[in-house]
Amino acid sequence: MNEAIPVSRVTDHGTAKLMPDVDRARAWLLTVDGAPQSYVDLDEPAHLEFEYTRRLGHVLDTVAEPGRTLDVLHLGGGAFTLPRYVAATRPGSRQDVVEADRGLLDLVAEHLPLPPGAGITAHGADARAWLAAAPADSADVLVADVFGGSRVPAHLTSLGYVREAARVLRADGVYVANLADGAPFGFLRGQLAGFAAFFEELALIAEPGVLRGRRFGNAVLVAAHRPLDTAALARRTAADAFPARVEHEPALRDFVGDARPVRDEDAVPSPEPPAGAFGIG
């Protein structure tokens, strides 16, 4: 098996490092250009270490009854933390993972291989291009966790991108994305306005200090055409080791305010995090 020594490799989009966790025998942290990207415990794939991945996991747990298989499309692969989680909690699910950095895919496949029969297929491709070519009504859940370094690429922030995501999701499907912003939330408000143009139901999950504008941080956007189980989400996120709040309906509309959807020609990446926001010491 893998020796518990760090691995570093220059991939297509940066320098990727795999570092073993001294406290967990077969757990690894993946960073790209110093920014934490994924944490995986090969012995416990249902263990979610990062705060934002735990919140994505809460959404995945509540989109359907426990154990029901799902067709999931992941935009952004990293070390496949969430695909492994779905395979462990919803065995038999069919999952496609789209990752633009083929060198990173090779590194993960070599050092953190997926278990046999996991039902996970990796694709080396641009997320927007893959989405545009994907069949309509083909996914129960679309998980977007795409960062170029520490920023969401511009072409994954526009109304055209949202339109493609809505097309690929089934009528009862759920979109969930990891985003990052800070006060005055110009980026996040524009994203919510864009999804409101195509989806009837929205929710936002974030740590209260982030929502109050006290610090820059991650926020999980959830969108669907059907009512979301925000009560179950709120219970799970409030009881988490890293408590968070679920905003929806009037409070979320107030947060969005007069923000407008982002057109393709106006799209920009998510803001640069302040120094040290997501780094590791």
Side-chain angles (χ1 to χ4, degrees):
M1 294 303 295
N2 301 319
E3 295 182 14
I5 57 174
V7 178
S8 181
R9 184 179 299 175
V10 176
T11 62
D12 302 12
H13 294 172
T15 299
K17 292 184 179 180
L18 285 172
M19 291 175 282
D21 185 339
V22 296
D23 296 320
R24 300 176 76 96
R26 298 180 69 227
W28 296 81
L29 171 69
L30 167 68
T31 66
V32 178
D33 291 338
Q37 295 285 345
S38 301
Y39 180 101
V40 167
D41 187 330
L42 297 178
D43 289 332
E44 292 186 51
H47 173 76
L48 300 177
E49 181 78 8
F50 293 166
E51 295 179 31
Y52 82 86
T53 57
R54 293 172 71 88
R55 289 162 195 159
L56 293 169
H58 294 322
V59 176
L60 289 165
D61 288 343
T62 56
V63 295
E65 59 270 20
R68 185 187 128 192
T69 60
L70 297 170
D71 292 336
V72 186
L73 172 59
H74 300 264
L75 303 181
F80 290 44
T81 303
L82 286 167
R84 297 172 199 265
Y85 179 82
V86 172
T89 59
R90 298 181 180 275
S93 293
R94 181 184 62 81
Q95 302 187 79
D96 289 292
V97 182
V98 182
E99 170 59 58
D101 192 332
R102 294 172 185 268
L104 181 60
L105 286 177
D106 291 341
L107 176 68
V108 171
E110 180 181 343
H111 291 277
L112 307 176
L114 293 166
I120 301 169
T121 305
H123 310 273
D126 173 78
R128 176 84 179 257
W130 177 272
L131 198 61
D137 305 318
S138 59
D140 296 312
V141 183
L142 198 166
V143 182
D145 188 12
V146 184
F147 281 78
S150 298
R151 306 177 75 183
V152 179
H155 68 304
L156 303 181
T157 69
S158 70
L159 207 54
Y161 164 75
V162 180
R163 182 181 296 109
E164 292 294 349
R167 182 186 63 81
V168 169
L169 278 169
R170 293 179 177 136
D172 62 347
V174 175
Y175 178 94
V176 57
N178 175 38
L179 304 173
D181 200 4
F185 302 110
F187 172 75
L188 192 54
R189 292 169 66 234
Q191 292 305 290
L192 287 161
F195 277 87
F198 285 93
F199 291 90
E200 297 170 22
E201 299 283 338
L202 295 178
L204 188 69
I205 310 169
E207 194 264 327
V210 172
L211 291 171
R212 293 188 187 117
R214 292 178 181 169
R215 66 178 182 88
F216 189 99
N218 293 95
V220 170
L221 182 156
V222 190
H225 295 300
R226 59 176 172 87
L228 295 162
D229 193 348
T230 51
L233 269 179
R235 287 193 299 270
R236 287 171 178 264
T237 56
D240 195 277
F242 306 102
R245 203 164 74 216
V246 179
E247 296 284 13
H248 63 106
E249 294 181 338
L252 194 56
R253 287 194 292 272
D254 290 344
F255 180 85
V256 176
D258 60 358
R260 307 294 298 173
V262 179
R263 300 181 302 172
D264 276 301
E265 56 267 34
D266 300 326
V268 296
S270 63
E272 186 77 44
F278 296 136
I280 52 174

